[in-house]
Amino acid sequence: MVKQKIAAAPSIRRLPAYLHLVRQAQREGLQYISGTAIAQELNLEPIQVRKDLSITHIMGKPKKGYSVASLIGAIEHFLSWDTTRRAVLIGAGNLGTALLGYQEFQYHGLQVVAAFDVNPEKIGSRIHQVPVFSVETLEQEIPTRGVKTALLTVPSHAAQAITEILIRVGIEGIWNFTKAKLRVPDTMVVQKEDLSSGYALFCVMMQARQLESYSSS
Ligand code: ATP
C-alpha cells in the first residue's frame, strides 16, 4: 500500500493544487467542474488531470465534469485531510515557530498539540498557543497524548538522537525538515522536506532567464 502511494507521488503532489482550485469554484457557487477547466487553470494537460484525480476514485459525469462537492470530499478523504492528525513538533526555533503559526494546516487536519525544545527560555512558554515542553520530557509526554506524528525542526546534528527517542515512544511518521538522512525501521514513514531544493530550481531558472535576455539584447 505504501509502495502504491509512492508510485503515485507526482499525482499526490498535485492534489492540493486541485483542491485549492475546486474549493474556490465552490465559493463561487459552481456545482460542476470539468477536468479540462482544471487543466486550463493550472497549465496542465486534461489527460494528466483526469489520471491524477482517478487515484481518489472520483467519477466525472459526461458533459458536466466532476461534482464540486464530491471532488472536494474525494480529495480530502484520499489525503486523510478530513480527519484530525495530532502531532508534536521538536525544535521550536525559527522554522519550527513558522510551522506552528501556519494557519493552512488546520485545513489539512494537522493539529500540533505540543512542541519540545532544549532552550530554557522557550520551555514553559506557548508559541502560537502551542505549549513548549523540555525535550527531556518527550518520553513521558508523547505516550499520554495519542500522537503518532512528529515534525522535526531541530538542528541537523541533533536529528538522529531525537529520532531514536521518537521511535522508542511509538511515533510512526516523521516529517523531517532537517538536512539529516534519518536511520529508521522500515515500518516508519519519513518525509524529508528540503526547502533548499525548490530554491535551487528557482535559481537555475533565474540564471537561464538572465542568459536568454543577455543573448537577445
Ligand atoms: P533559534 O535562533 O530560536 O535557536 P534557529 O532556528 O536559528 O532558532 P536552530 O539551531 O536551527 O535554531 O535550532 C532550532 C531549534 O531547535 C531551537 O529552538 C533550538 O533550541 C532547538 N534545539 C536544538 N537542539 C535540540 C535538541 N537536541 N532537542 C530539541 N530541540 C533542540
Side-chain angles (χ1 to χ4, degrees):
M1 189 62 185
V2 171
K3 288 221 169 83
Q4 250 175 29
K5 292 217 163 162
I6 290 171
S11 299
I12 295 169
R13 284 186 181 278
R14 284 188 285 270
L15 290 181
Y18 299 151
L19 184 58
H20 180 73
L21 186 76
V22 183
R23 280 187 180 141
Q24 200 176 314
Q26 190 179 48
R27 280 195 294 276
E28 287 164 11
L30 280 188
Q31 294 206 325
Y32 284 87
I33 188 163
S34 69
T36 312
I38 297 175
Q40 256 168 10
E41 206 54 52
L42 298 176
N43 259 338
L44 294 166
E45 291 300 321
I47 190 160
Q48 179 75 71
V49 172
R50 278 189 279 274
K51 183 171 162 260
D52 289 346
L53 292 179
S54 72
I55 62 175
T56 71
H57 303 297
I58 183 96
M59 301 282 281
K61 285 196 179 156
K63 302 231 166 68
K64 283 186 146 177
Y66 302 96
S67 145
V68 164
S70 308
L71 186 49
I72 292 173
I75 298 175
E76 285 181 339
H77 188 66
F78 179 80
L79 297 174
S80 73
W81 287 4
D82 55 352
T83 53
T84 301
R85 182 183 304 282
R86 290 160 63 80
V88 291
L89 178 140
I90 327 291
N94 289 308
L95 181 57
T97 298
L99 291 173
L100 291 174
Y102 187 53
Q103 297 300 313
E104 193 77 5
F105 284 155
Q106 64 185 298
Y107 302 111
H108 308 346
L110 179 62
Q111 189 187 10
V112 182
V113 295
F116 295 85
D117 207 286
V118 280
N119 185 337
E121 286 174 17
K122 295 180 185 175
I123 295 165
S125 72
R126 280 179 178 265
I127 299 180
H128 297 294
Q129 321 300 333
V130 178
V132 184
F133 298 92
S134 163
V135 77
E136 285 173 14
T137 67
L138 264 178
E139 295 185 61
Q140 293 98 282
E141 293 290 338
I142 289 191
T144 63
R145 287 167 194 270
V147 171
K148 299 288 176 202
T149 300
L151 279 58
L152 195 57
T153 46
V154 292
S156 299
H157 63 80
Q160 187 61 40
I162 296 292
T163 298
E164 308 288 334
I165 303 174
L166 296 176
I167 295 167
R168 272 206 302 280
V169 297
I171 288 291
E172 293 172 358
I174 299 177
W175 195 3
N176 175 19
F177 290 86
T178 77
K179 300 261 177 247
K181 172 140 181 25
L182 303 177
R183 292 180 301 282
V184 296
D186 287 348
T187 49
M188 193 156 201
V189 172
V190 177
Q191 170 63 27
K192 193 162 179 301
E193 217 55 67
D194 188 351
L195 293 182
S196 307
S197 75
Y199 185 57
L201 191 56
F202 174 76
C203 290
V204 172
M205 290 192 300
M206 285 298 279
Q207 273 173 346
R209 186 186 174 281
Q210 275 154 8
L211 282 175
E212 263 172 25
S213 58
Y214 287 140
S215 61
S216 64
S217 64

